[in-house]
Each structure stands twice: as structure tokens, then as C-alpha cells.
Amino acid sequence: MIPKELLYSQSHEWARIEGGEAVVGITHFAQEQLGDLTFVELPAVGASVEAGKEMGSVESVKAASELYAPVSGKVVAVNEELAASPELVNQDPYGKGWMIRIELSSQPQGLLDADAYAQVAVGH
């Protein structure tokens, strides 16, 4: 359940690198821990995000949790569907539940591959 082609942060965000951009979301493990999402707060298009810094939040029936940017750059797209349908993150965290697209300002650093992330997720 951990796609091999993605990179992962210790805080359970994923990034799919596509040329000079990264598509970002939260992992299956993260959405499972949170439970049914009721609200997703994301940065606006044009906002700058910095790897490891807060970029938004999610709320669920269980808890609220901050989202941390796995990469640095400028937000070039936001998944508008999540405003009305936050449950897409629960249903398809690596597909329709993507959150933002970031134009990279530098190469991703310090992210985990699928095998290393599996160790983090199992360790929780």
C-alpha cells in the first residue's frame, strides 16, 4: 500500500516528482490514523512553502493535524475538490486525494523511499 515511485516525509506526506514539480498529499497510513476527514486547509496558489514547515492542516472526526511540506517551492495548483469532498483523501490518498502541486525551488532532500517509509509507518 506504499507506492514505490513516491518520496515520503517522516511526517507522512508524499511527493511525486514530475519534472520540475511535485504533486503532494498525505499517505494511506496518515489518513488511516486520522480517520474520516471533515476539512482540509491548504495554501493558496502562489504561496511559497518550505520543506519541513507547516503548509496547512486537516481535520477529522478524531483529531486535527498539521500538514508539512515535503519539498520547497511555489504552490502552482490546489486540489479544489477537497474543499467540498475531503473524504477523497481517505478514499484515494495517492490519486484523487492529492492536495497541492509545487514548482520546486530546489531538489528534494531528506525524503524517504518506499522501503524506508514502510519502516517509519510500522514503527508508529
Side-chain angles (χ1 to χ4, degrees):
M1 199 61 176
I2 301 175
K4 295 278 187 207
E5 71 278 9
L6 305 178
L7 297 172
Y8 300 89
S9 67
Q10 296 269 355
S11 54
H12 310 291
E13 288 84 16
W14 58 263
R16 180 173 54 244
I17 308 304
E18 298 177 346
E21 294 183 351
V23 179
V24 173
I26 64 171
T27 65
H28 174 75
F29 175 83
Q31 69 79 25
E32 202 171 58
Q33 295 297 304
L34 287 164
D36 293 336
L37 294 186
T38 56
F39 181 73
V40 177
E41 179 183 41
L42 299 170
V45 170
S48 291
V49 295
E50 188 179 334
K53 303 286 186 195
E54 193 175 325
M55 66 170 194
S57 63
V58 290
E59 293 177 17
S60 71
V61 291
K62 289 186 191 174
S65 183
E66 284 78 35
L67 298 170
Y68 297 94
V71 297
S72 296
K74 186 173 82 172
V75 177
V76 293
V78 173
N79 186 347
E80 303 289 348
E81 289 185 49
L82 298 183
S85 303
E87 68 276 4
L88 288 173
V89 176
N90 296 111
Q91 294 164 1
D92 191 8
Y94 301 113
K96 291 181 180 161
W98 70 276
M99 294 184 167
I100 62 174
R101 182 179 283 271
I102 299 169
E103 183 182 298
L104 298 172
S105 60
S106 60
Q107 286 302 308
Q109 295 182 345
L111 296 177
L112 308 169
D113 64 18
D115 293 334
Y117 178 71
Q119 299 302 312
V120 171
V122 169
H124 279 255

